Amino acid sequence: MKRVKQQQTVKSTIKKARSNESVKEKHPLQVYCRVRPLQNENESSCVNIEPPNSLLLTVTDANRAALQRQMRFVFKHVFDETTTQEQVFKETSLPLVQNLICGRNGLLRDAYGDMMRGGPASTEKLSVNEENVYSVFITYIEIYNNSVYDLLEDYQSDDCTRVRAPQPKIIREDGSKNMYVHGVDEIEVSTPEEAVEIFYRGQKRRRLAHTASHTESSRSGAERQKLLSISQLSLVDLAGSERTSRSKTAGARLREAGNINNSLMTLRSCFELLRENQQNGTSK
């Protein structure tokens, strides 16, 4: 009973701090690129890495092999085929975790699934202020066909005789104009093992499907949040865009692909607006 009251007090404090939160220091959006190895050694790569942060893409016309054009893209950093998972973690993710402990929010978005996969990345130990008391809560939500679902929700009926169908959640706006998902379960964890167990519990409920392009194609975007003090770290795994002519989708899978592509176009518009704000100092 005492532990329940403590959890309710912590959650109430977090909610109050969020609603009273003023405009915080803004950090620029950083985009990383990771080049994966070729699946066939006999294939030739159309990608040329120009260290440390440029990538040259050579595109050949399918009808006229002699006609080529080159496009150069610049990122925060480009990881080549030999980069280890631990190196990627230390460059992209570890600073966000360190900022989280210091009370700053963070967002890590994985666009096409290959950036952050590959097993445990690191066992880094972070220093914390031992005079502070920390509580960590995890939520895990999924956006599927334009509806939001809680992957950690208990779907059993009240009498525990059957499993209820998952119900979509409502997106609301708080007093500070911040959007949040109403009614999701926030589960407190005290060890890394508990956090991993919660992650896999939600992962089993994610919607995956087989297509001609991928053995396991994510049909949704997922977001995992870890709350530390009043700061928040969001880990977002997006479903990749699809060309239906290649993935050979039909019926329900075709509808999913359409919603995925539409949501990615909307996300692109958001990033373009963020970039414009960073360049011009505006707040559109």
Side-chain angles (χ1 to χ4, degrees):
M1 191 64 165
K2 183 178 180 182
R3 181 179 177 85
V4 173
K5 289 183 178 180
Q6 289 177 341
Q7 289 183 4
Q8 292 175 343
T9 302
V10 171
K11 290 182 180 180
S12 176
T13 304
I14 292 174
K15 186 175 182 180
K16 183 177 180 181
R18 283 176 176 170
S19 61
N20 296 331
E21 193 177 45
S22 59
V23 178
K24 292 186 176 181
E25 180 185 359
K26 295 182 179 180
H27 298 274
L29 189 67
Q30 297 179 346
V31 181
Y32 295 83
C33 177
R34 186 178 188 181
V35 179
R36 67 181 183 185
L38 294 174
Q39 295 180 342
N40 190 339
E41 295 181 355
N42 297 325
E43 294 178 340
S44 58
S45 176
C46 61
V47 174
N48 183 33
I49 299 176
E50 300 175 340
N53 62 346
S54 294
L55 186 146
L56 186 65
L57 179 64
T58 304
V59 181
T60 304
D61 192 303
N63 299 320
R64 291 177 290 178
L67 184 60
Q68 294 183 337
R69 61 190 180 100
Q70 292 184 326
M71 295 178 287
R72 179 173 282 102
F73 300 91
V74 179
F75 302 88
K76 173 67 176 179
H77 186 83
V78 178
F79 301 103
D80 62 21
E81 302 91 327
T82 63
T83 305
T84 65
Q85 196 71 10
E86 185 170 0
Q87 290 172 324
V88 174
F89 173 80
K90 287 184 176 180
E91 177 73 22
T92 64
S93 309
L94 185 58
L96 295 178
V97 179
Q98 293 171 330
N99 287 340
L100 179 72
I101 293 176
C102 296
R104 292 193 289 270
N105 295 335
L107 167 66
L108 180 64
R109 185 179 71 88
D110 177 17
Y112 293 107
D114 293 309
M115 175 68 87
M116 304 309 300
R117 290 181 183 172
S122 177
T123 55
E124 293 286 331
K125 291 186 178 180
L126 304 176
S127 60
V128 297
N129 188 341
E130 296 184 358
E131 296 181 356
N132 295 336
V133 177
Y134 297 92
S135 295
V136 180
F137 293 85
I138 295 180
T139 66
Y140 198 168
I141 63 175
E142 174 184 61
I143 303 174
Y144 174 73
N145 278 343
N146 296 331
S147 296
V148 182
Y149 298 93
D150 183 1
L151 296 179
L152 301 180
E153 184 178 19
D154 185 3
Y155 293 147
Q156 282 193 336
S157 60
D158 294 336
D159 57 5
C160 298
T161 58
R162 65 186 186 280
V163 177
R164 295 181 288 108
Q167 299 298 314
K169 299 298 180 180
I170 301 174
I171 299 178
R172 293 183 175 175
E173 184 178 79
D174 63 17
S176 300
K177 306 294 183 181
N178 296 316
M179 307 303 294
Y180 70 97
V181 182
H182 175 72
V184 297
D185 287 350
E186 294 183 351
I187 299 179
E188 184 177 12
V189 296
S190 56
T191 66
E193 291 76 19
E194 289 180 5
V196 171
E197 191 275 330
I198 294 299
F199 165 72
Y200 280 116
R201 185 198 306 177
Q203 192 73 357
K204 291 178 181 178
R205 293 180 172 177
R206 289 198 63 187
R207 291 169 173 85
L208 300 174
H210 173 79
T211 68
S213 301
H214 302 282
T215 304
E216 283 190 353
S217 174
S218 173
R219 314 312 291 170
S220 63
E223 179 177 354
R224 301 168 288 279
Q225 296 179 344
K226 294 184 179 181
L227 305 177
L228 182 54
S229 187
I230 58 170
S231 55
Q232 175 175 295
L233 175 59
S234 299
L235 310 179
V236 181
D237 179 17
L238 290 180
S241 61
E242 287 189 7
R243 291 186 179 181
T244 54
S245 59
R246 292 183 179 179
S247 58
K248 308 298 182 183
T249 53
R253 298 289 173 259
L254 183 60
R255 177 170 173 252
E256 292 169 352
N259 286 325
I260 290 170
N261 292 339
N262 288 336
S263 64
L264 291 176
M265 288 295 295
T266 302
L267 183 62
R268 175 182 175 180
S269 299
C270 294
F271 282 148
E272 288 177 345
L273 193 59
L274 285 172
R275 184 170 179 268
E276 181 181 341
N277 288 339
Q278 291 175 2
Q279 290 179 332
N280 303 327
T282 56
S283 57
K284 293 182 180 180

